Amino acid sequence: MKTLLVFSRLIDAVTEGVGKAVGWLILIAVLVSAGNAVVRKAFNISSNAWLEAQWYLFGGAFMLAAAYTLAQNEHIRIDVVYGKFSRRVQHWIDLLGHCLFLMPFVLLMIYYLVPYVLMSYRSGEGSSSAGGLIVWPAKAILLAGFLLLAAQGVSEIIKKIAIMRGDMEDPTPYVPTHAPLDMAAGGEKGA
């Protein structure tokens, strides 16, 4: 299990690096969008390439940050139901969810995206819009996002098993988002 935990920490480090780096893509997308709008209004010049660049940047940030979001335990879940269970049951729900839902979906997407990206790359597929960008980099970003998500899924499965076996502490102990306020802790009723 120690070897698997080392492997898990390596995946987590890569995911964190990528997740923090792609945050800058949002800023770049905003700057491209603002610059494109200013040029279009001020000089009556427009470019499909700049519009598509915005989509690529935002899509890249979204897809490449999905694994980081999983690592931070920030994906959406039904807290009203999940929060009613003990932490052990929550770990089982997470483990089964990763194994039965996340990994099959991610692996299926990778299976279909590999030929999709290769075909686009080999054909030099371009945008259907005049003056648009080549398409394969956007498709490759989809594939890269799902590859990262698959790796992070493996890391999460390893960590859940290690936590449940007592081989590691829970790095993200669950705290319900909508927990009732504790009056003894100084919380105000109705706050």
Side-chain angles (χ1 to χ4, degrees), residues 38-61:
V38 168
V39 168
R40 187 174 59 245
K41 297 293 183 190
F43 304 108
N44 201 25
I45 299 170
S46 185
S47 165
N48 285 331
W50 286 108
L51 290 172
E52 290 180 8
Q54 292 170 222
W55 301 339
Y56 286 17
L57 290 165
F58 182 75

Side-chain angles (χ1 to χ4, degrees), residues 1 6 19 41 45 79 104 175 179 186:
M1 185 51 93
V6 169
K41 297 293 183 190
I45 299 170
D79 289 340
V175 177

Side-chain angles (χ1 to χ4, degrees), residues 12 24-25 46 52 58 75 80 134 160 176-177 184:
D12 289 349
W24 289 100
L25 294 180
S46 185
E52 290 180 8
F58 182 75
H75 278 282
V80 174
I134 55 175
K160 286 296 171 189
T177 306

Side-chain angles (χ1 to χ4, degrees), residues 2-146:
K2 288 182 181 183
T3 304
L4 290 174
L5 285 171
V6 169
F7 180 62
S8 175
R9 283 192 291 275
L10 176 65
I11 292 170
D12 289 349
V14 169
T15 297
E16 184 170 347
V18 171
K20 289 182 176 181
V22 299
W24 289 100
L25 294 180
I26 298 294
L27 175 62
I28 296 168
V30 167
L31 294 175
V32 167
S33 177
N36 193 31
V38 168
V39 168
R40 187 174 59 245
K41 297 293 183 190
F43 304 108
N44 201 25
I45 299 170
S46 185
S47 165
N48 285 331
W50 286 108
L51 290 172
E52 290 180 8
Q54 292 170 222
W55 301 339
Y56 286 17
L57 290 165
F58 182 75
F62 180 82
M63 285 305 302
L64 297 173
Y68 179 67
T69 304
L70 179 63
Q72 298 301 309
N73 198 29
E74 292 293 331
H75 278 282
I76 297 171
R77 64 169 51 95
I78 303 172
D79 289 340
V80 174
V81 175
Y82 186 82
K84 293 188 185 296
F85 295 114
S86 69
R87 190 62 183 132
R88 180 156 181 80
V89 172
Q90 290 174 353
H91 287 307
W92 274 106
I93 291 170
D94 289 342
L95 179 62
L96 292 173
H98 294 330
C99 292
L100 299 176
F101 298 105
L102 174 69
M103 293 308 292
F105 174 72
V106 169
L107 294 174
L108 184 67
M109 291 302 297
I110 292 169
Y111 176 79
Y112 283 111
L113 279 169
V114 168
Y116 182 68
V117 172
L118 288 174
M119 185 172 48
S120 181
Y121 175 75
R122 289 178 184 147
S123 69
E125 182 181 5
S127 172
S128 59
S129 300
L133 300 174
I134 55 175
V135 175
W136 71 262
K139 292 180 178 182
I141 288 171
L142 282 172
L143 178 59
F146 279 107

